[in-house]
Amino acid sequence: MSEKLLMKGNEALGEAAVQAGCRLYFAYPITPQSELPEYLSKRMPEVGAVFLQAESEVAAINMVYGAAGTGARVMTSSSSPGISLKQEGLSYIAAAELPCVVVNMSRGGPGLGSIQPAQGDYFQATKGGGHGDYHLLVLAPASVQEIVDLTTLAFDLADKYRNPVMIMGDGLLGQMMEPVTFPSEGSRELQPKPWATTGKTKDREKNVVHSLELLPERLEAHNIKLQRKYAQMEQAEKRWEEYLADDAEIVLVAYGTVARICRSAVDAAREKGIKAGLFRPISLWPYPSEALAKLTPIAKCFLCVEMNTGQMVEDVRLALEGRRPVHFYGRTGGMVPAPEEVLAQIEKLVAGRCEA
Amino acid sequence: MITVFSRPRSLADVSTHYCPGCTHGIIHRLVAEAIDDFDVAERTIGVAPVGCAVLAYNYFNLDFQEAAHGRAPAVATGIKRALPDRIVFTYQGDGDLASIGTAEIVHAANRGEAITVIYVNNAIYGMTGGQMAPTTLEGQKTSTSPYGRDVSNAGYPIRMAELLATLNAPRYIARVAVNSPVHVQQAKKAIKRAFEVQIKENAFSLVEVLSTCPTNW
């Protein structure tokens, strides 16, 4: 299928999952991602796949655990408060090394918050969320087309690393309609999963999916193994995009929806003769720290823009290790910054010679 | 020489961690016998709970998944929906099923998931050292009900089998005990019937097995 279609982000994600071979989807309705379960409730039966509306987000993520343990490609989705409920399951899934895709079309928080777009779940997604030492791979699309591309990638990475992959969108991306094309079908040959619990046949030992290790030596060894895997991800799976960043004296750092707004602000700044650029992390974990730090010889300062009160900015500061001033501008509660607001921040910084 | 009694093939030849006098061993055996009787070991996936039976996956010669506390019916749902031709069972205690996992068991039962639930009720949290369970009887003393279960404070012991039996979808729900040879034989029949309901009728079944906790009672 290579024709161009006009689709909502949530629906495009569902279609991309189906085409990536997702054969089970479990979820609970929550705004602003309900178009995704609605789409898949219609679409999954068409391909002989399973759609099941769970009794809760807690149940949904545990259904994902069970299905992933059989080796099937499986997905769940939710929005911020529902993602909080999934954290127990995510910790178990990461510990048991099960591949799955989890979508967060995030909204305003904390608490019940709002149903408008926000990025307040960055810490939760990238720094753990659930208990214990583990990481999700976190991918942050900035367009409906990128939702499609990263959903396909997410299933492949989940299988490759036997790790949960989160697609971190927001209410705006989920609701927005844009033209998309889907990758050509028919090339999805899945690797065998000899570890899966499919019934112990005589030709193999039994398979057990579990996260319990009562002996501290064994649990430590398991943690070391997991950390080795995360180190491999840090080597191979950092993704980002730069826009006019080569000669930029002021570099904006933003992901997802906000990166698009910042791109407009960069264009507006350039028109005013300000050498502004944009660095857009696509993988939020692992974070593309080295690529960002490479911009320091020319960049005089960095401006991190987020729809929260300052979360990714900590990773920007860690990446730059104090070599350049890092500034922050955020809107929260479901408020989306306008390009003019961001431009005003750029102009203010330039006026203060990037030190304000 | 004719062998008249042997270890079920589905039961692993290992020592368990269960306390002397604990009935988990008997119940494990009955489950393994049922699986052997139907000759479905190669198609069976078990789900272990959190609680005393958390290590059940070590004691069966079967593929197994270990679930988070109370979530076994959701995990079993995921397995069964992915592999509808397999036999899936959960093995859960009363703290797991009747307290923290009430939503998961009620909805798995209500959907009529074609799984078998072995619900071992000893009316106490054994693994954590003898705390009051949702099933602890009125007046019973535990480490968190030192004056006896006061129903005006803690509520009444919850009757899961009766509660689930009000639903339309479950095909077979039974309560048995394993405190005498006669009861063990009845329990064996019930567990076998529960697996039969899954295998032949593709329906939900649950057997509550009244058990004991020789360490904490």
Side-chain angles (χ1 to χ4, degrees), chain A residues 30-335:
Chain A
I30 183 171
T31 309
Q33 61 83 60
S34 291
E35 294 86 356
L36 183 46
E38 284 169 0
Y39 182 84
L40 288 175
S41 68
K42 215 181 284 173
R43 187 74 174 98
M44 293 296 261
E46 287 178 358
V47 294
V50 174
F51 166 87
L52 181 60
Q53 184 167 317
E55 63 268 29
S56 68
E57 284 93 347
V58 175
I61 193 70
N62 283 284
M63 291 172 187
V64 167
Y65 179 103
T70 70
R73 284 199 158 178
V74 53
M75 182 171 83
T76 186
S77 66
S78 192
S79 181
S80 307
I83 295 293
S84 292
L85 284 169
K86 291 187 194 294
Q87 294 304 323
E88 173 200 54
L90 284 172
S91 172
Y92 278 70
I93 286 169
E97 297 192 85
L98 296 176
C100 67
V101 174
V102 178
V103 179
N104 183 3
M105 288 296 173
S106 65
R107 58 187 246 185
L112 198 51
S114 72
I115 58 171
Q116 280 80 30
Q119 295 179 326
D121 304 349
Y122 180 90
F123 283 154
Q124 185 193 53
T126 62
K127 312 291 178 187
H131 59 283
D133 283 328
Y134 76 93
H135 278 292
L136 311 176
L137 268 160
V138 186
L139 304 173
S143 68
V144 178
Q145 183 62 55
E146 201 174 26
I147 285 178
V148 169
D149 299 342
L150 292 183
T151 299
T152 311
L153 177 69
F155 279 98
D156 289 342
L157 292 178
D159 279 353
K160 182 178 175 186
Y161 292 102
R162 289 184 60 183
N163 205 69
V165 179
M166 177 174 277
I167 297 172
M168 177 65 119
D170 61 50
L172 207 151
L173 277 169
Q175 306 282 323
M176 181 167 70
M177 287 183 95
E178 283 187 318
V180 285
T181 56
F182 289 87
S184 55
E185 289 180 83
S187 59
R188 308 215 63 81
E189 213 164 291
L190 305 186
Q191 294 299 309
K193 297 174 179 173
W195 48 265
T197 56
T198 53
K200 183 204 165 312
T201 45
K202 289 191 179 68
D203 56 353
R204 67 159 169 84
E205 292 299 302
K206 69 178 170 187
N207 285 336
V208 178
V209 167
H210 73 115
S211 61
L212 181 72
E213 290 291 358
L214 286 170
L215 294 173
E217 296 84 354
R218 288 183 63 165
L219 183 54
E220 186 179 53
H222 182 57
N223 268 294
I224 289 168
K225 181 183 164 222
L226 289 178
Q227 291 303 319
R228 228 177 265 139
K229 184 169 83 173
Y230 302 144
Q232 283 172 7
M233 293 177 192
E234 289 197 280
Q235 283 293 316
E237 306 304 341
K238 292 182 176 176
R239 289 174 168 81
W240 69 93
E241 183 187 73
E242 294 174 18
Y243 178 64
L244 305 179
D246 281 352
D247 66 339
E249 292 179 358
I250 173 165
V251 174
L252 276 62
V253 188
Y255 72 92
T257 293
V258 182
R260 293 171 68 131
I261 295 159
C262 286
R263 198 179 160 110
S264 301
V266 164
D267 286 340
R270 288 272 173 176
E271 276 175 26
K272 293 192 171 195
I274 300 168
K275 281 190 173 174
L278 171 67
F279 183 88
R280 178 172 75 91
I282 296 169
S283 60
L284 300 184
W285 199 93
Y287 197 76
S289 306
E290 298 81 359
L292 180 59
K294 272 190 190 150
L295 302 174
T296 49
I298 294 165
K300 288 181 184 159
C301 73
F302 291 77
L303 171 63
C304 186
V305 186
E306 300 178 68
M307 287 194 291
N308 58 41
T309 55
Q311 297 192 16
M312 183 176 74
V313 66
E314 292 191 3
D315 283 333
V316 175
R317 292 198 172 110
L318 280 170
L320 299 177
E321 295 177 319
R323 278 175 271 173
R324 292 289 182 276
V326 175
H327 305 277
F328 175 76
Y329 181 69
R331 295 298 302 269
T332 182
M335 296 300 291

Side-chain angles (χ1 to χ4, degrees), chain A residues 14-26:
Chain A
E15 183 57 34
V18 169
Q19 294 195 21
C22 175
R23 283 299 166 267
L24 299 106
Y25 169 81
F26 305 100

